[in-house]
Amino acid sequence: MDLSARTGVKIMEDYSHSHASTWKGKKVGSISHVGAASIMSEKPMATGEGGMMNTDDQDIYERAVMFGHGDHQQFVQNADYKRFAPLPWGGYKYRMHQMTSAMARVQLRHFDENRAPGVKAMERFFSQVCAVPGVDCDYPLHDPDVTVGASYWQMIILSEEIAARVPVAVIAEAINAEGAPAGPGGYYCHHLHPFWNECDVYGDGKPTRIAFSRDVRQGPGDCPVAEKIVTRLIHIPRMIKYDEEYIDQIAAAYIKVLTNLDQLEGLTSDRQLERSRTLSRG
Ligand SMILES: Cc1ncc(COP(=O)(O)O)c(C=O)c1O
């Protein structure tokens, strides 16, 4: 927010993985100018398809309404905006289904109690697995500034040294062989994905990314941190219930593999690191 005050650039928080979490006593999504969260079926707050935004900035609220909510445009006070009603500014009707928003409103009332077992499960799992040297996680263990409201797609983060010794795909396969779910990598790197660089969506005879602008495509090496981190991640199973026996069994499988890496050295995996695939130029 200091950076925003200095530059005038507004900040938006995407808290789609962390609904109801707090940082320094403030709910995520309320720290910056506008918060937004996906509430589609996989997310901690799952309503089918949908999203929500929150802001205490009247202008941001009114602009958002102009983009989508036909009926809500009656609440817009800015006359300059209102004269363009009732058409949605974005050209699409970004209105969420009423049933979805009704489900979301009910879930909001029970969110903390529904999500607490999953949060406790993550704490139990990571407390054990992250005690292995060189193993960290994307979860704020023992951080006094953070309370976790929901766990989502959690990962362990291996040290560069471990990832250089044994590829994450090999480690994940070894964990699978122990009977525990594990997958290599995190999200794919968008800047390298063929869709952003090659797909001709509207039939312009060239990739849509450059059909209406200068060439803004990026290639391997342009985002080195993002490209590297996927080689150090292993995603763990979601544990939304607090079942101590199950959690400890899964943790034991991870620890067994991570403390016996010497037995995996030199092995390779033909399991594609699909999520870190690179741009196919050629
Ligand atoms: C952090 C984050 N933001 C936004 C989205 C987009 O959500 P939706 O599919 O509801 O548009 C996702 C989806 O996975 C996400 O993980």
Side-chain angles (χ1 to χ4, degrees), residues 14-280:
D14 179 341
Y15 59 99
S16 302
H17 294 195
S18 55
H19 312 72
S21 300
T22 65
W23 179 73
K24 294 194 174 173
K26 292 192 92 176
K27 280 251 158 80
V28 293
S30 71
I31 298 163
S32 62
H33 300 104
V34 56
S38 165
I39 51 175
M40 63 85 156
S41 51
E42 269 202 337
K43 294 292 185 297
M45 188 164 153
T47 58
E49 280 293 351
M52 59 187 182
M53 66 162 277
N54 51 278
T55 180
D56 59 5
D57 182 314
Q58 183 71 18
D59 188 54
I60 293 175
Y61 165 72
E62 295 198 355
R63 287 183 66 84
V65 168
M66 293 309 298
F67 266 83
H69 295 258
D71 294 342
H72 281 63
Q73 287 179 348
Q74 62 183 299
F75 302 119
V76 169
Q77 287 158 26
N78 185 327
D80 286 338
Y81 297 170
K82 231 177 158 50
R83 73 194 185 87
F84 298 118
L87 300 176
W89 281 9
Y92 289 95
K93 186 186 73 170
Y94 285 117
R95 195 164 54 226
M96 192 160 73
H97 194 281
Q98 288 87 340
M99 185 63 85
T100 306
S101 52
M103 286 199 298
R105 289 175 71 90
V106 173
Q107 280 206 50
L108 274 177
R109 286 207 290 276
H110 305 286
F111 190 81
D112 290 341
E113 71 201 78
N114 286 349
R115 285 290 141 189
V119 171
K120 223 168 128 192
M122 282 304 98
E123 251 146 47
R124 188 177 181 96
F125 176 83
F126 283 130
S127 302
Q128 297 176 59
V129 175
C130 295
V132 176
V135 180
D136 205 345
C137 60
D138 67 339
Y139 186 95
L141 271 185
H142 319 303
D143 184 336
D145 286 338
V146 179
T147 60
V148 181
S151 87
Y152 179 55
W153 201 37
Q154 307 289 171
M155 325 241 172
I156 56 170
I157 307 171
L158 302 175
S159 67
E160 286 190 32
E161 192 251 326
I162 292 183
R165 270 174 74 197
V166 186
V168 282
V170 171
I171 298 176
E173 271 180 18
I175 295 169
N176 294 158
E178 292 297 322
Y187 279 114
Y188 48 77
C189 289
H190 268 273
H191 69 291
L192 301 179
H193 195 289
F195 172 76
W196 295 112
N197 296 292
E198 296 168 13
C199 187
D200 179 3
V201 180
Y202 301 111
D204 292 292
K206 50 179 140 171
T208 300
R209 190 87 186 278
I210 57 169
F212 307 104
S213 79
R214 66 195 163 81
D215 192 347
V216 290
R217 291 174 298 175
Q218 291 172 309
D222 283 334
C223 300
V225 176
E227 287 166 40
K228 188 87 196 273
I229 193 72
V230 285
T231 66
R232 294 173 48 201
L233 300 175
I234 291 183
H235 51 268
I236 66 160
R238 281 176 97 171
M239 296 176 233
I240 54 173
K241 292 192 181 146
Y242 188 68
D243 178 338
E244 291 186 357
E245 197 184 343
Y246 176 74
I247 298 162
D248 292 353
Q249 277 177 1
I250 302 286
Y254 275 69
I255 292 167
K256 182 175 173 190
V257 171
L258 291 165
T259 52
N260 287 286
L261 290 173
D262 49 319
Q263 294 184 32
L264 301 175
E265 270 175 42
L267 295 179
T268 53
S269 167
D270 56 6
R271 192 155 151 195
Q272 265 293 338
L273 247 183
E274 192 205 319
R275 292 182 179 278
S276 61
R277 72 190 139 182
T278 54
L279 176 62
S280 57

